[in-house]
Amino acid sequence: MYLRELVREDAARCAELEEQLFSGDTPWSKENFELEFQQPYNFYLGVEEDGLLVGYAGIGLRGHVDDPEFEILTIGTDPKYQRRGIGRMMMDNICYIADLKKAPLFLEVRVGNEPAIEMYKAYGFKHLGIRRNYYQPSGADAHTMKRDSVTDTNSDKTPEQP
Ligand SMILES: CC(C)(COP(=O)(O)OP(=O)(O)OC[C@H]1O[C@@H](n2cnc3c(N)ncnc32)[C@H](O)[C@@H]1OP(=O)(O)O)[C@@H](O)C(=O)NCCC(=O)NCCS
């Protein structure tokens, strides 16, 4: 099992996984993924096992160059491969990239999506608020979550007394 950057040829497989994982909420098509992979400030990675893409994730770099932030655009694991550490492989890498840039990470996650919420909490994400009617066509609400940057986390600490 290994992690790699996604390329145009992965778009069809990503769309297939997306259909399985987000069928009720306008899953991205192959064409959506092809466009996404071309965006200069987005980065997509995935996990492959025996030649099959079994996990995919994307992040976007946002904000000002001096004060960057990232958002998680999507993340999913093939249902047949879930609970085997693939989500963690992708999240480790995403958090590593954000930490390199000392940038906070933001995301939206459907209310009630406990597997994903548990995963994000395990990576230090905190609940920020609710976005009503965020997912379409279901109309489901989303939690907005944030993981502080390394700098933010450190700046929260009281300096030690000499
Ligand atoms: C969320 C998702 C990507 C996790 O992928 P995964 O490959 O199964 O993740 P991992 O096996 O690496 O597990 C990572 C952590 O997620 C949490 N988790 C995963 N599945 C869980 C479940 N069914 N119940 C509770 N926690 C769960 C745990 O904290 C787990 O860590 P642990 O195994 O050390 O306890 C996967 O469930 C998925 O594809 N869900 C559908 C798509 C989706 O909802 N994406 C998120 C959109 S915001």
Side-chain angles (χ1 to χ4, degrees):
M1 203 145 54
Y2 71 98
L3 190 79
R4 65 170 172 81
E5 185 172 358
L6 297 183
V7 294
R8 187 184 167 89
E9 288 67 34
D10 295 310
R13 173 63 178 150
C14 286
E16 188 177 85
L17 289 172
E18 185 91 357
E19 183 64 45
Q20 291 178 51
L21 297 169
F22 301 106
S23 56
D25 284 313
T26 325
W28 289 0
S29 66
K30 172 173 174 273
E31 291 71 26
N32 292 145
F33 278 103
E34 285 172 349
L35 277 174
E36 280 290 308
F37 294 166
Q38 288 174 31
Q39 301 305 314
Y41 296 105
N42 291 353
F43 176 68
Y44 281 82
L45 52 84
V47 174
E48 191 173 313
E49 182 168 89
D50 298 331
L52 181 69
L53 188 72
V54 292
Y56 67 103
I59 56 171
L61 176 61
R62 307 289 181 252
H64 191 270
V65 68
D66 296 328
D67 188 20
E69 55 190 52
F70 285 96
E71 62 176 325
I72 297 183
L73 303 168
T74 188
I75 183 165
T77 299
D78 184 326
K80 294 194 282 298
Y81 290 78
Q82 288 180 5
R83 300 274 13 210
R84 289 175 45 184
I86 291 167
R88 279 190 176 274
M89 276 178 84
M90 298 188 287
M91 286 299 296
D92 284 349
N93 206 264
I94 287 169
C95 292
Y96 177 73
I97 292 168
D99 289 346
L100 272 182
K101 291 265 182 202
K102 295 186 167 41
L105 264 165
F106 292 87
L107 60 82
E108 270 82 32
V109 57
R110 189 184 174 117
V111 169
N113 184 351
E114 293 308 324
I117 292 168
E118 284 306 311
M119 180 172 76
Y120 297 138
K121 281 191 197 160
Y123 279 86
F125 281 84
K126 302 272 190 302
H127 181 258
L128 278 186
I130 296 277
R131 300 187 74 178
R132 301 275 169 220
N133 216 20
Y134 182 77
Y135 294 98
Q136 298 300 326
S138 68
D141 298 339
H143 296 286
T144 301
M145 300 182 84
K146 179 186 180 192
R147 176 182 183 268
D148 285 334
S149 69
V150 175
T151 309
D152 288 348
T153 307
N154 289 340
S155 67
D156 286 347
K157 290 185 186 153
T158 310
E160 284 179 28
Q161 296 298 318

